[in-house]
Amino acid sequence: MDSKKSILLVLLLATLITLALGQTRVGFYQTSCPRVETIVQTAVRSAINSNPTIAPGLLRMFFHDCFVNGCDASILIDGASSEKTAPPNGFLRGFEVIDAAKTQLETTCPGVVSCADILALAARDSVVQQNFLTLQTGGASWQVPLGRRDGLVSRASDTGSLPGFNEPLNALIRKFADKNLNTQDLVTLSGAHTIGTASCLTFSYRLYNYNNTNGPDPSIDPTFLPTLRNLCPNGGDGTRRVTLDTGSVGNFDNSYYSNLRNRRGVLESDAALWNNPATQTLVNRFLGIRGLAGLTFNVEFGRSMVKMGNIELKTGSQGEIRRVCTAIN
């Protein structure tokens, strides 16, 4: 047997093992669609160069997809009662990026690459491109295991599994545990807010009438409160977007955790990470506090993204490979 046949046999065996075990793997499309990563990266780069807010949008979209029936691109399906229509998904953006990449891939290698894998790659590439725009070197990146297939169901009623911005920390920890993600994953993945924004609607209740006290959330830094109130006046435009990482707009770094320590977490779910001893310790580890084993945000974020990307996999003969990402075949 010549060397080329031997290599093909090894790749075939690896693919069969992957399908049998229901796992993803790096290099899944090495022979069937070798340009997949380049094509997705090009689509993401073009979109973010035109509109930098697409970067956190793609990250959030992947998160919202994986937490509802697994990472199966069900978030992309159109329909009167699909996941897209649920209130938690109302501000998602970046769908056109996935569509653009899929269109190109269907021309290059039709019927091969799943929308779920495109979304997983786009989430990674959004971080890489954000690092490039802000001239960061050595920023977060990770290899993306591939081989997901697209789901056949998308129901708005299933989105209750999504962690909420105003849920108690114990509820958030439980929702992560339900997806085989631990408390460190919760603190790590919350770090995506380093490039995110939130609407005033999602946190202004903390500024004026927290828990019906007619006053602000006492956990907010009093010197930070006027800034938030100026951005979100009482009774003002609830759709106005506010950065979640004050002082580090657009930089994918661990400054988000510094803001938590300084009681400048914008969302209640963010602030809660500092108000609990267990999660506060993890925040301090990301900040490199002396006496604690340090955690490197760029490294840990990639690890947790890979872990999240394996939630409730559909592989092998499960699901399908959609021809267009917005509709089941």
Side-chain angles (χ1 to χ4, degrees):
M1 183 182 294
D2 62 35
S3 59
K4 286 185 178 179
K5 288 183 178 179
S6 297
I7 292 171
L8 288 173
L9 179 60
V10 169
L11 290 172
L12 176 61
L13 288 173
T15 300
L16 291 174
I17 291 171
T18 296
L19 296 179
L21 295 176
Q23 297 175 341
T24 53
R25 65 179 176 84
V26 174
F28 183 85
Y29 298 108
Q30 185 173 345
T31 55
S32 59
C33 192
R35 293 188 59 236
V36 58
E37 296 207 27
T38 300
I39 289 170
V40 175
Q41 185 182 65
T42 300
V44 171
R45 181 188 300 125
S46 176
I48 294 176
N49 284 346
S50 299
N51 180 5
T53 67
I54 294 295
L58 289 170
L59 265 181
R60 187 174 177 223
M61 190 190 299
F62 184 54
F63 183 97
H64 282 220
D65 182 48
C66 290
F67 263 76
V68 182
N69 298 322
C71 309
D72 64 353
S74 53
I75 189 65
L76 305 177
I77 296 174
D78 287 336
S81 58
S82 68
E83 290 174 35
K84 268 186 187 180
T85 67
N89 296 326
F91 292 104
L92 289 182
R93 57 197 180 278
F95 293 104
E96 70 281 1
V97 183
I98 308 303
D99 292 339
K102 179 62 171 175
T103 298
Q104 180 62 42
L105 285 165
E106 284 299 299
T107 298
T108 305
C109 35
V112 172
V113 181
S114 68
C115 300
D117 277 344
I118 295 171
L119 182 50
L121 287 169
R124 187 273 311 275
D125 293 340
S126 69
V127 173
V128 173
Q129 184 60 19
Q130 191 67 29
N131 288 334
F132 176 79
L133 287 179
T134 54
L135 303 179
Q136 291 186 75
T137 57
S141 185
W142 58 95
Q143 289 190 306
V144 180
L146 301 171
R148 300 166 190 79
R149 285 172 66 86
D150 299 322
L152 304 174
V153 174
S154 181
R155 295 182 294 252
S157 58
D158 290 339
T159 57
S161 57
L162 286 169
F165 61 84
N166 58 352
E167 286 189 295
L169 183 61
N170 287 341
L172 299 176
I173 290 173
R174 183 173 62 252
K175 285 188 172 182
F176 269 67
D178 287 345
K179 303 299 180 183
N180 293 320
L181 299 173
N182 59 31
T183 303
Q184 182 172 317
D185 294 315
L186 166 60
V187 177
T188 302
L189 292 171
S190 295
H193 289 169
T194 186
I195 58 169
T197 62
S199 65
C200 291
L201 185 67
T202 59
F203 67 88
S204 58
Y205 69 92
R206 299 183 67 209
L207 311 181
Y208 302 101
N209 188 28
Y210 183 68
N211 285 345
N212 295 315
T213 60
N214 289 319
D217 183 342
S219 71
I220 300 175
D221 171 17
T223 65
F224 187 47
L225 186 62
T227 299
L228 292 178
R229 283 180 166 174
N230 183 56
L231 291 167
C232 299
N234 199 8
D237 180 6
T239 64
R240 183 175 184 180
R241 309 294 297 184
V242 175
T243 183
L244 293 171
D245 190 3
T246 303
S248 183
V249 178
N251 290 320
F252 199 89
D253 55 26
N254 72 344
S255 64
Y256 163 81
Y257 300 106
S258 295
N259 277 315
L260 297 187
R261 178 184 58 191
N262 295 331
R263 298 193 295 146
R264 295 189 168 204
V266 176
L267 297 177
E268 188 168 8
S269 58
D270 288 338
L273 300 180
W274 182 254
N275 298 332
N276 176 280
T279 50
Q280 184 182 111
T281 296
L282 289 163
V283 171
N284 279 327
R285 289 179 66 188
F286 277 116
L287 292 172
I289 300 300
R290 184 174 297 178
L292 294 174
L295 291 170
T296 303
F297 175 56
N298 288 336
V299 173
E300 298 304 326
F301 190 81
R303 286 177 180 168
S304 288
M305 285 291 286
V306 170
K307 193 173 174 183
M308 183 178 73
N310 282 328
I311 291 176
E312 298 168 31
L313 288 176
K314 295 172 182 64
T315 58
S317 61
Q318 298 172 312
E320 65 180 8
I321 304 297
R322 284 184 221 141
R323 289 187 292 270
V324 295
C325 292
T326 55
I328 297 167
N329 292 344

